[in-house]
Amino acid sequence: MDVRDWATFLLPYEQTVEELKVKFKTMRSELKKREEYTPIEFVTGRVKRLSSILEKAKRLSVKMEDLETGIEDIAGIRIMCQFVEDIRRVAEFIRHRQDLEVLYEKDYITNYKESGYRSFHMIIKYPVQTALGQKIVLAEIQIRTLAMNFWATIEHSLNYKYRESLPDEMRVRLKTAAEAASILDSEMSSIRDEILEAQKTFEENSNTTTQLLKAIHQLYFYHLVNEAIDAQERFNEIWQVQDMDAMKGLLDHVRSLLSEAKKGNLPDGL
C-alpha cells in the first residue's frame, strides 16, 4: 500500500496546470490583438483525479514509484479551436515555445481511433518552480475542435459509467456520432472565410458601439450637456435600426466635439 502524501504529490501538477492555462490564455489574447483572429477559442485544464491515476497505473502496469514518468497526463491542458486547420497552427506555436519541451505528439485526427475519437495530443516536459526548487513535470496538451471536444466529453462519461465496457450498440452509435462531428468540422472549414468575416464584422460593430457610448459619456465631463443629450438620442434612433454606417458617423462627430473641447474648453482646474 502506497502511503505517500497524495496532496503534496499533486501540488506540482496543480501548479503546472494553472501556469499553462495562464500562458495559453495570454497567447490567445496576444494573437487576437495582433491578427484580429485567434486560432484558440478557449483553454481549460485539470489535474487527473487520484482514482483515475491509480486505475490507469493498474491498467498500464505502472509501479507506484514510477507514476511521475509512467503516467504522462496527470496534468492536462485542453485547447479548443473553431476549425480543424487551427489545430495545426496552435501545435506549431507550442513547438516553438522556449518554456517547455515537446517530447512527442499523437495525431488522432489524421489517424483517429477505432471508437471515432479525434484530437491532437502533445506530451511535454514543463519546469515548474516549487518552494523546494525546480521540478520537471510531464503534462499532456490536447488540441481539438469544439465538435471533437463535445464528442470526447460524452464518450468519456459513458466509458466511466460502463467501466470502459460499452455495449456494442452504444459503440456503433458513438462512432456514427463521431463521423457526424467530423462532417460538421468539414462543413465549417468549407465556409471558414465567411464565418471569420462575420465574426470580424460583429467585433467591429461591438467596438464601435462601446466607443461611441464612452465618448458620449465624456461629453458630460467637458460640460457639453446638450450635445451629450442630442448624441444619446441620435444613438437610440440608430440603434433601433442597426445602421452601423450612421453609428460610425455619429462616433466621428462626437470625437470631433471632444477634440475641440480638449483644445480650449477644459473644466477649471484641469
Side-chain angles (χ1 to χ4, degrees):
M1 177 69 180
D2 195 295
V3 294
R4 77 180 72 196
D5 182 346
W6 289 104
T8 301
F9 172 79
L10 293 176
L11 279 176
Y13 295 98
E14 293 169 355
Q15 186 174 336
T16 294
V17 167
E18 292 307 311
E19 290 183 10
L20 288 175
K21 282 197 301 183
V22 170
K23 290 182 176 183
F24 289 128
K25 287 177 181 179
T26 300
M27 178 193 291
R28 179 188 187 281
S29 299
E30 182 183 352
L31 289 172
K32 190 168 186 179
K33 288 178 181 178
R34 287 176 179 272
E35 306 177 19
E36 296 185 345
Y37 168 73
T38 173
I40 299 174
E41 184 69 9
F42 63 91
V43 180
T44 63
R46 62 95 184 101
V47 175
K48 210 173 188 66
R49 293 180 180 179
L50 182 54
S51 59
S52 298
I53 295 173
L54 297 177
E55 288 173 4
K56 189 165 187 176
K58 181 180 179 181
R59 187 171 71 252
L60 300 180
S61 298
V62 175
K63 297 179 180 178
M64 288 296 101
E65 60 267 26
D66 296 329
L67 288 179
E68 292 182 354
T69 55
I71 307 296
E72 300 168 328
D73 63 343
I74 295 177
I77 295 292
R78 286 180 187 161
I79 299 176
M80 258 59 74
C81 305
Q82 289 192 73
F83 305 102
V84 176
E85 296 85 351
D86 294 337
I87 294 174
R88 311 290 179 186
R89 189 168 174 223
V90 171
E92 191 63 21
F93 280 128
I94 294 173
R95 292 186 194 107
H96 286 88
R97 292 190 68 95
Q98 301 297 309
D99 54 349
L100 56 83
E101 177 186 351
V102 178
L103 295 180
Y104 66 91
E105 302 171 1
K106 294 181 283 188
D107 184 353
Y108 294 124
I109 298 174
T110 303
N111 305 299
Y112 55 87
K113 293 185 178 182
E114 176 64 25
S115 65
Y117 177 85
R118 290 169 169 83
S119 187
F120 193 91
H121 294 190
M122 307 179 83
I123 303 300
I124 67 166
K125 288 200 312 187
Y126 180 75
V128 63
Q129 303 296 325
T130 73
L132 301 179
Q134 178 174 283
K135 182 177 180 61
I136 302 299
V137 173
L138 295 183
E140 180 182 70
I141 301 173
Q142 299 177 348
I143 315 171
R144 52 177 65 154
T145 64
L146 299 172
M148 292 175 190
N149 187 62
F150 173 72
W151 184 93
T153 301
I154 299 302
E155 192 238 11
H156 177 78
S157 299
L158 289 172
N159 270 321
Y160 184 81
K161 175 181 178 180
Y162 290 102
R163 308 297 292 179
E164 301 194 5
S165 297
L166 287 174
D168 291 340
E169 180 189 2
M170 186 69 70
R171 290 183 184 279
V172 171
R173 296 177 71 177
L174 273 175
K175 191 169 184 178
T176 300
E179 292 169 356
S182 180
I183 292 172
L184 174 61
D185 276 334
S186 296
E187 285 297 313
M188 291 300 103
S189 292
S190 70
I191 57 173
R192 182 175 187 270
D193 291 342
E194 288 81 359
I195 293 173
L196 293 180
E197 183 62 32
Q199 291 175 341
K200 181 180 179 181
T201 299
F202 174 81
E203 192 74 21
E204 289 176 349
N205 291 347
S206 178
N207 289 338
T208 297
T209 301
T210 300
Q211 291 168 12
L212 176 54
L213 291 173
K214 288 182 177 179
I216 292 174
H217 182 71
Q218 281 186 296
L219 291 174
Y220 289 101
F221 177 78
Y222 291 105
H223 297 189
L224 299 175
V225 178
N226 291 332
E227 290 83 349
I229 293 173
D230 289 342
Q232 185 65 55
E233 290 178 349
R234 179 61 181 146
F235 169 83
N236 294 340
E237 294 172 359
I238 295 171
W239 180 254
Q240 291 298 320
V241 296
Q242 291 291 297
D243 185 344
M244 293 313 299
D245 288 335
M247 192 81 75
K248 291 174 183 176
L250 180 58
L251 176 59
D252 290 339
H253 173 65
V254 173
R255 282 175 169 171
S256 177
L257 291 175
L258 289 171
S259 178
E260 291 300 315
K262 290 175 182 177
K263 290 177 181 178
N265 296 317
L266 289 173
D268 294 339
L270 294 179

